[in-house]
Amino acid sequence: MQLAQQVKHLVKKEFVLEWRSKYALNGVLLYVVSTVFVCYLSFKVVDKLTWNALFWIIMLFASINAIAKSFLQESKGRQLYIYTLASPVAVIIAKTIYNSILMMLISIIAFAFYSLVFKPEADIDILMYFTATVLGSLSFSTVFTMVSAIASKAGNGGMLMAILSFPVIIPVLIVLIKLTKNAVDGLDRSVSLDEIGLMLVVNVLVVTVSLLLFPYLWRD
Amino acid sequence: MNKIWWKILAAVLVIYSTIAGLLLGVPRLAILNETIRNLYFHVPMWFAMIVLFSISVFYSIKNLNSQNETDDLKAVESANVGIIFGLLGLVTGAVWAKFTWGQFWSFDPKQNFAAISILLYCAYLILRNAIEEEQKRAKISAIYNIFAFPMMVVLLFVLPRLQDSLHPGNGGNPGFNSYDLDSRMRMVFYPACLGWILIGYWIYTIKFRIRNLQNQAQQF
């Protein structure tokens, strides 16, 4: 299929570009590491609730910074060039896939470093927390990819990105914090199934709407 | 809807529901007491808001296909009026909460999510202000509007059901339509809803016509 081919090439292009500069990965990792370190210096010890909330606040800002660049960074000329080669649906799918993989990688490393600095509670359900982290980074990337496309077209970088994405991401974040709190408390996994389902539904919703709307967005 | 009859109907219904809502008998319930009358004023605001935001999304979708400037004006004006109704819904709810829950704002999930969904539409207006070029503004803000609408639905109708809320109709609290909405209250409540929705629509048409005239005056 042509679309699958285009998506494959575009994702490969993103990875090659990233591999050459290693800017996003290293930049965001340094951002996460220094934020965690600052938090450690100011908190020293945190309780369960703060431990969870702090992790998601750090991840929220890290992912905004990581994904904001996906459209904002590309020059107008290069965007035009890509659009002449590939269909817009392929572009948004490729960007979403690339951002999801990048965010998952970042959040796994961030989680490992975070639990190294702040010791998690003994009864935490690590596997569940890990699933939630992966789901969370997936949702962050689907939402932020579309919003960064909108913000880049509006031609008004960073601030607009934050304003537009926060109200959209807050519901996801609330569900996410509830889900991870269940994991931190070591509750039975069946309790969290509702939240996991809702996260998946929101993701499907956002991806569908993005696919429908993006073709209108790139046409100038 | 150029006829005058529905405007008269709207005015009559709202006047009727205000007078009858304050004078007619209501069931005596513990805690709620006379505050149950707030049902006639609080709930119609949200219905009117939902209707106006739906109109806004409808014209945004239409605008993406037609690129017509009047569709864009209709979308933004109905969103404007919808935000006003949302704020009124928040205020009437807060006043009611003062007398039943003890404080204006108790960070109940329903309150929070309603406030966030208003934020979502404020972000829409800010996005509009950020873009100078009219055609581009119409298109990009229409896209954000369509993107935001499903999120608002999730915020207002899905998430509050997952969390414990003191709001009537949530978390085991009696809803107004379960046992206490007797026939006397229905006689006022339904006309009130219809009346306020029509009033909201009326305000929107007036605002749209003013905006349209201003635009035409600018072109001369």
Side-chain angles (χ1 to χ4, degrees):
Chain A
M1 225 177 93
Q2 209 192 352
L3 185 71
Q5 278 295 320
Q6 286 180 350
V7 170
K8 207 182 93 187
H9 283 295
L10 283 171
V11 172
K12 197 177 154 205
K13 176 218 104 184
E14 296 280 348
F15 275 107
V16 170
L17 278 182
E18 175 56 35
W19 187 250
R20 279 189 199 149
S21 70
K22 299 189 191 66
Y23 163 70
L25 192 64
N26 288 344
V28 173
L29 280 184
L30 190 61
Y31 177 89
V32 170
V33 167
S34 42
T35 318
V36 172
F37 195 60
V38 168
C39 287
Y40 175 72
L41 290 179
S42 41
F43 280 101
K44 298 285 185 203
V45 188
V46 292
D47 59 0
K48 261 200 231 175
L49 206 64
T50 326
W51 186 84
N52 189 19
L54 200 58
F55 178 67
W56 284 111
I57 291 170
I58 292 170
M59 283 317 297
L60 175 67
F61 284 95
S63 53
I64 280 201
N65 282 329
I67 298 175
K69 72 158 205 74
S70 68
F71 280 97
L72 293 175
Q73 204 188 32
E74 285 197 334
S75 68
K76 264 219 142 76
R78 193 200 285 166
Q79 278 189 12
L80 205 64
Y81 176 60
I82 294 168
Y83 291 139
T84 55
L85 291 178
S87 79
V89 176
V91 174
I92 188 79
I93 293 177
K95 289 268 187 198
T96 310
I97 291 175
Y98 165 71
N99 281 332
S100 310
I101 295 172
L102 183 73
M103 271 316 298
M104 279 179 200
L105 201 66
I106 288 171
S107 53
I108 289 166
I109 299 173
F111 180 58
F113 185 72
Y114 187 71
S115 13
L116 199 74
V117 175
F118 292 103
K119 275 267 164 298
E121 298 280 323
D123 56 350
I124 176 177
D125 186 347
I126 285 283
L127 196 67
M128 195 66 205
Y129 203 96
F130 193 72
T131 316
T133 312
V134 170
L135 260 180
S137 48
L138 190 71
S139 328
F140 281 165
S141 26
T142 53
V143 171
F144 289 152
T145 306
M146 185 59 192
V147 175
S148 92
I150 294 175
S152 80
K153 278 288 170 189
N156 198 334
M159 194 181 84
L160 206 57
M161 171 84 195
I163 292 172
L164 295 182
S165 57
F166 274 166
V168 181
I169 205 70
I170 286 173
V172 177
L173 206 60
I174 288 170
V175 178
L176 208 54
I177 286 180
K178 192 153 179 251
L179 177 60
T180 45
K181 195 182 166 296
N182 289 351
V184 171
D185 289 338
L187 296 185
D188 193 72
R189 277 171 199 172
S190 59
V191 179
S192 314
L193 288 181
D194 269 2
E195 275 83 23
I196 294 179
L198 188 65
M199 293 284 293
L200 290 176
V201 168
V202 169
N203 270 316
V204 170
L205 200 76
V206 170
V207 169
T208 323
V209 177
S210 310
L211 288 185
L212 287 175
L213 291 180
F214 190 74
Y216 290 98
L217 188 63
W218 74 267
R219 240 188 283 148
D220 261 328
Chain B
M1 296 267 274
N2 282 324
K3 301 257 168 26
I4 201 167
W5 62 268
W6 62 272
K7 294 176 184 170
I8 296 170
L9 179 71
V12 168
L13 285 178
V14 166
I15 292 170
Y16 158 74
S17 69
T18 311
I19 295 171
L22 292 174
L23 293 181
L24 280 190
V26 289
R28 290 228 153 265
L29 295 170
I31 302 173
L32 284 176
N33 295 324
E34 292 289 325
T35 65
I36 200 171
R37 293 180 194 278
N38 192 37
L39 174 75
Y40 307 136
F41 306 100
H42 173 65
V43 182
M45 296 298 149
W46 294 113
F47 282 146
M49 184 192 84
I50 298 285
V51 169
L52 285 164
F53 284 164
S54 308
I55 292 172
S56 180
V57 166
F58 173 75
Y59 281 110
S60 285
I61 295 171
K62 219 173 144 201
N63 177 47
L64 278 186
N65 290 322
S66 69
Q67 310 281 335
N68 193 343
E69 200 190 347
T70 49
D71 288 335
D72 181 49
L73 280 185
K74 280 178 180 172
V76 65
E77 286 307 336
S78 54
N80 271 334
V81 182
I83 288 174
I84 303 282
F85 273 88
L87 289 176
L88 284 174
L90 280 183
V91 170
T92 48
V95 171
W96 178 82
K98 174 68 180 165
F99 291 98
T100 47
W101 301 347
Q103 43 189 332
F104 287 113
W105 197 271
S106 49
F107 292 97
D108 189 79
K110 267 259 177 170
Q111 289 180 318
N112 291 341
F113 293 139
I116 295 166
S117 59
I118 302 285
L119 266 185
L120 204 57
Y121 280 86
C122 293
Y124 166 69
L125 294 182
I126 287 175
L127 175 66
R128 293 187 64 88
N129 292 341
I131 310 168
E132 291 283 327
E133 199 186 320
E134 274 153 28
Q135 290 272 323
K136 206 173 166 188
R137 175 170 66 205
K139 193 180 67 184
I140 295 174
S141 59
I143 287 167
Y144 186 72
N145 195 9
I146 301 167
F147 189 63
F149 188 74
M151 281 296 156
M152 185 203 67
V153 173
V154 170
L155 271 169
L156 290 182
F157 300 108
V158 182
L159 281 181
R161 297 188 200 288
L162 289 179
Q163 297 196 318
D164 294 328
S165 168
L166 283 172
H167 195 277
N170 279 98
N173 288 316
F176 278 116
N177 44 8
S178 58
Y179 66 91
D180 36 24
L181 190 62
D182 62 9
S183 56
R184 280 179 302 172
M185 290 191 75
R186 279 207 184 93
M187 295 249 303
V188 185
F189 178 61
Y190 294 144
C193 289
L194 184 63
W196 281 110
I197 289 172
L198 286 177
I199 288 279
Y201 185 78
W202 189 5
I203 297 174
Y204 142 67
T205 52
I206 292 171
K207 287 204 66 160
F208 163 66
R209 268 150 47 204
I210 293 173
R211 244 330 237 288
N212 215 5
L213 288 176
Q214 277 173 347
N215 272 17
Q216 281 172 11
Q218 267 174 8
Q219 277 166 8
F220 281 120

